[in-house]
Every structure is written in structure tokens, then in C-alpha cells.
Amino acid sequence: MKNLVEELQWRGLVHDIMPGTEEQLLKEMTTTYIGFDPTSDSLHIGSLVPIILLVHLEQFGHKPIALVGGATGMIGDPSGKSDERNLLDELTLEKNVAGIKSVLSRFLDFNSTAANAPLLVNNYDWMKDFSFINFARDVGKRITVNYMMAKDSVKKRLSGEGEGMSFTEFTYQLIQGYDFHYLYKTHHCLLQMGGSDQWGNITTGTELVRRINGEGAKAYAMTCPLITKADGSKFGKSEGGNVWLTADKTSVYKFYQFWLNTTDVDAEKYIKIFTFLDKNTIDSLIVEHHDAPHLRVLQRRLAEEVTIFVHGKDELEKAIQASAILFGNATEADLKNLDETTFLEVFDGVPQAIIARNDLEAGIDIIAVLNEKSGFFKSNGEARRALTANSISVNKVKVAEGFLLTNNELINNQFVLLQSGKKNYFVLRIV
């Protein structure tokens, strides 16, 4: 087996690792699982790291299991949380589980027939018929309260401010631990991976595997660091909130722009974590970037690789095309190819005015459009001077005095883009 731990270490993807884990991964194909909390019907880019870990596992010949926490989602993981989570109702939980399964299926082929084919499981399937009495006898008996209290996720909640921790959340680590035991018994799963905040829950699982199955039972743990920005702010947030992995929540254009706008320091770190480029390629890109940082070579390659991985090559091309409209030599055809959502996002914050559709039937003189109808210019004289200087464009096409705006210029049958010079834009919305 190739050395997966070595690969993950140079990428900055190893935080804690239990002794013997690297040796186990070098010895044989090792079944490994990572859990995903169904707190939403999609996943955001914070979940990209565990997804990428599962893909690395498969590429290195190991068998990845993606576990969707239909049961644990009913309780809520206290790790890293200062307050009790709101409990989700079953309908919401079902919707979230289905959404997460759909997202994960884009990255892992759960229908593969390979020996190390990925597996998708839901812990609700084995927890739903587990009675409280049986759980207390078979699982609760194996782990002491002292052991559970020593975990950081518990200690922080009990010693911090707030209302402490409910019994419900206190049992979370036992249920997650039982998942590991169940997967160990049914799929010979020997390793659990997750974020560094999961170390307590994961090691409870390894302990439970050993205590239920005897001293000879082997189970391992490995975590990756929680991703941060160089300035200390939270990774994965933009001005509009979370950056999601589904286009209905975060458009591909905004997704691409998020990566394109990373700082030099972050781009150097992220290109190792979020892409599958090899070390030589990444080292060369970093040198190239240091030689000419203004060209933003790292950011461009990072944005391209991650967008292709999440949304595919065709969607990347559309995102690049949309970006070129603001920052490059885009054409009228490029503009008219934009869907409504992307158009509004590209020109987010650009001043707008509303024009009645009836007015376009006979055509509106460009001077009236620029002044009276929109307020883009303060006077007819100012509009006329800009036209004489050849600095006015309608939908990226230069126009002169005498031009009439008609229905032929509509983008998506509802927008017209005015431009003065290189950077001054104005959107007409036709209603």
C-alpha cells in the first residue's frame, strides 16, 4: 500500500493520529469511516475536507464509508458548541439525510463493484430499533461516566457559561462510539476519521470497540485540523453566509469567486488541502506565484480545481465566462448566455432603475435612457458628451447618439446593462 498518512501530512491534513494507524494503513486495505451531521439538506465547504479525505482513502486503495447521522442528528453533537442545539423533527431530518446523500454521491461512486468500493450508511438504520434499556445495558455499561466527563466537549460545556449539558447531548459520544462498534462488526471497519474537534468522540469509539470485542480488537483514530483563514476568521463564510456545495444555495459563479478571492497566504495552504494536485505541481505553482503575485496564479488554479471537483468542467467554464463580463473582454453573446441568478450576482450592488416594457415597443432614445429614465447621468448634456467620447456601451456594445433602446436588447427578457467607461455599470430592469 502507498503511504496515505505521509500524503496527508504534507498536505496539512493530519492533526491527531493514534499509534499504529499508519502501520495499519500500510499493511492492507483498511475500511475507514467519516460521519456527516444532517443539520441541513446540503453540505457547505467546511465538509469538503472530510469528503476529500474519503476520496484520498479510495485513491490509496482503502475502503471509505460515508456515514450520514440520521440517529445522531436527532440529538446534536455538543463538540465545539457552547449551547444546546435545537432538535430537528423527523421530516426535516429525512429531507436533510436525503440531501446529504445526494451531495456525497457526486464525489463517491456508491454503485462501484471494486473491492474498495465506497459505502454509504445511515446510523438510524441500526439505532431505530435499539431500546433504551438494551442500550444502557450493552453500551452504557462499558464506558464510565468518569471517562466521558474527561472529554473536552463535555468539560468545556460543564465548566463554561450557559445552561450546562443535557443528558441527551451527554449520550452523544456513546451513540457515535456505538456506530464505530457496529461498523467494526458488520464491515470490519478499523479506522474513523474526522475534524480535530471530533477526537474525543472518535477515541470513545475505539475504546468501545475494544471493550465490547475484547483486548484483541483493534480500532484506530485520525483527525485533520479545522480549517481557518490566516486572519483568524472562520473559513467557509462569505458575506452572504455559508458557501455551499450545491448550486441552489451558492451559485457556481459565487463559489468560484470565493476561491479566487482568497489571500496569498491562504491560497498557498488551501491548494494543498482542497486539490489533488501532486507535490511537484503545487511547489512549482507556489514558486511561480512568488515570482509574480499580481498574476494570482495560485488563486486561479485553486478556484479552477475546486470548482471542477464540486461542479464539473462545464460549470467552471460558465463561471469563468461570468467573471470575464466584469473583468475581461466579454461580448454581448456572453452576457446574454447568463441565467438570471448569475446575472444578478455578477452585478450585485450595481445601481438599478426600472423601465416599463411598453416604453421599449417604439424604442427609447439613448439620451433619455441615460438621464431621464435611469438617472445614470445627471443631465442630457453629460450623457451627450459621454456618447460623443464613445464611452457608452449597451450590453457590452458601443453605441452613439441616435441609438434607440428596444426589446431586442433584453437579456433574459428583463435586463439591459449600461456601461460608461471601463468600470461604471448600471442595470435596467424591464417590467
Side-chain angles (χ1 to χ4, degrees):
M1 305 296 291
K2 292 184 293 178
N3 196 325
L4 173 64
V5 173
E6 195 176 81
E7 174 77 11
L8 297 181
Q9 279 172 332
W10 81 258
R11 290 184 180 276
L13 280 169
V14 177
H15 188 272
D16 291 303
I17 183 166
M18 190 173 277
T21 303
E22 185 172 3
E23 291 77 5
Q24 171 59 38
L25 288 166
L26 282 169
K27 185 172 73 173
E28 61 189 352
M29 179 184 84
T30 302
T31 302
T32 303
Y33 97 90
I34 297 177
F36 294 85
D37 237 352
T39 50
S40 170
D41 60 353
S42 182
L43 295 170
H44 52 73
I45 57 174
S47 300
L48 256 186
V49 175
I51 289 169
I52 283 168
L53 287 174
L54 290 172
V55 175
H56 277 303
L57 277 157
E58 186 181 15
Q59 289 180 349
F60 274 70
H62 302 290
K63 185 178 181 71
I65 298 180
L67 181 147
V68 183
T72 35
M74 289 182 164
I75 290 172
D77 184 0
S79 304
K81 297 285 180 285
S82 56
D83 295 305
E84 185 95 3
R85 292 190 187 202
N86 291 326
L87 297 180
L88 300 174
D89 61 71
E90 281 198 52
L91 272 178
T92 303
L93 208 54
E94 273 181 39
K95 178 172 173 277
N96 291 355
V97 167
I100 289 172
K101 284 182 175 180
S102 173
V103 173
L104 292 171
S105 298
R106 287 163 33 203
F107 304 102
L108 298 157
D109 180 8
F110 298 112
N111 297 315
S112 168
T113 55
N116 68 326
L119 198 61
L120 181 65
V121 297
N122 179 356
N123 60 9
Y124 184 70
D125 292 339
W126 57 83
M127 291 303 301
K128 63 185 175 187
D129 297 323
F130 212 153
S131 76
F132 177 76
I133 290 174
N134 286 341
F135 186 82
R137 281 175 57 90
D138 299 344
V139 181
K141 187 75 175 165
R142 314 280 181 168
I143 302 286
T144 66
V145 169
N146 305 45
Y147 179 89
M148 294 171 72
M149 295 274 284
K151 300 296 182 181
D152 281 346
S153 59
V154 176
K155 279 198 294 191
K156 285 177 182 173
R157 283 286 289 276
L158 294 181
S159 61
E161 295 178 4
E163 297 181 3
M165 175 184 271
S166 69
F167 176 75
T168 303
E169 283 197 336
F170 186 59
T171 60
Y172 185 93
Q173 62 174 292
L174 285 183
I175 297 175
Q176 183 170 323
Y178 183 79
D179 289 342
F180 202 168
H181 160 70
Y182 180 88
L183 294 174
Y184 172 87
K185 290 290 284 182
T186 54
H187 299 289
H188 193 53
C189 179
L190 299 181
L191 171 62
Q192 184 184 169
M193 296 171 74
S196 58
D197 60 335
Q198 290 295 307
W199 183 252
N201 291 334
I202 294 173
T203 51
T204 297
T206 62
E207 192 65 16
L208 204 55
V209 167
R210 189 179 62 78
R211 292 188 185 186
I212 294 177
N213 300 283
E215 289 294 330
K218 298 288 186 187
Y220 302 94
M222 180 161 54
T223 62
C224 61
L226 297 179
I227 309 304
T228 55
K229 290 185 181 179
D231 63 5
S233 61
K234 190 169 182 180
F235 168 77
K237 296 268 188 180
S238 67
E239 287 179 19
N242 284 326
V243 178
W244 297 88
L245 301 182
T246 44
D248 62 323
K249 290 183 183 287
T250 298
S251 72
V252 182
Y253 167 76
K254 275 199 170 173
F255 183 87
Y256 174 75
Q257 286 294 322
F258 172 84
W259 299 101
L260 202 59
N261 290 327
T262 52
T263 64
D264 290 351
V265 175
D266 285 336
E268 200 167 312
K269 175 177 155 185
Y270 294 168
I271 200 157
K272 296 172 186 174
I273 294 170
F274 293 102
T275 79
F276 296 90
L277 298 172
D278 61 64
K279 192 173 188 305
N280 289 339
T281 303
I282 288 176
D283 288 345
S284 299
L285 283 167
I286 290 170
V287 170
E288 191 181 344
H289 183 80
H290 285 174
D291 289 343
H294 63 285
L295 296 177
R296 300 177 69 77
V297 171
L298 270 182
Q299 284 92 337
R300 288 180 189 282
R301 189 62 184 272
L302 172 67
E304 286 172 10
E305 292 290 328
V306 184
T307 305
I308 288 172
F309 178 63
V310 175
H311 293 290
K313 199 164 176 43
D314 290 347
E315 292 300 319
L316 167 69
E317 294 301 327
K318 290 177 191 172
I320 291 173
Q321 196 177 45
S323 301
I325 285 163
L326 267 184
F327 310 112
N329 300 315
T331 65
E332 182 180 23
D334 293 334
L335 200 57
K336 289 192 172 180
N337 279 336
L338 291 184
D339 58 80
E340 179 185 353
T341 303
T342 307
F343 177 88
L344 289 172
E345 285 177 348
V346 170
F347 297 103
D348 185 32
V350 169
Q352 295 187 13
I354 292 173
I355 289 183
R357 192 173 294 273
N358 293 342
D359 291 353
L360 291 180
E361 306 247 335
I364 311 172
D365 182 74
I366 188 62
I367 291 176
V369 169
L370 293 171
N371 173 25
E372 177 192 338
K373 293 287 185 182
S374 69
F376 190 17
F377 285 86
K378 291 175 183 173
S379 67
N380 286 348
E382 194 180 329
R384 194 170 280 113
R385 283 191 292 276
L387 287 161
T388 303
N390 196 33
S391 66
I392 300 298
S393 300
V394 172
N395 297 341
K396 292 287 179 178
V397 178
K398 294 281 186 185
V399 296
E401 201 170 337
F403 175 83
L404 289 180
L405 187 70
T406 68
N407 286 316
N408 294 333
E409 277 71 54
L410 295 187
I411 300 164
N412 280 300
N413 198 34
Q414 58 186 320
F415 303 112
V416 175
L417 180 68
L418 305 177
Q419 188 176 350
S420 173
K422 284 188 176 179
K423 295 181 179 177
N424 295 320
Y425 291 97
F426 198 100
V427 172
L428 299 179
R429 192 187 282 265
I430 314 305
V431 296

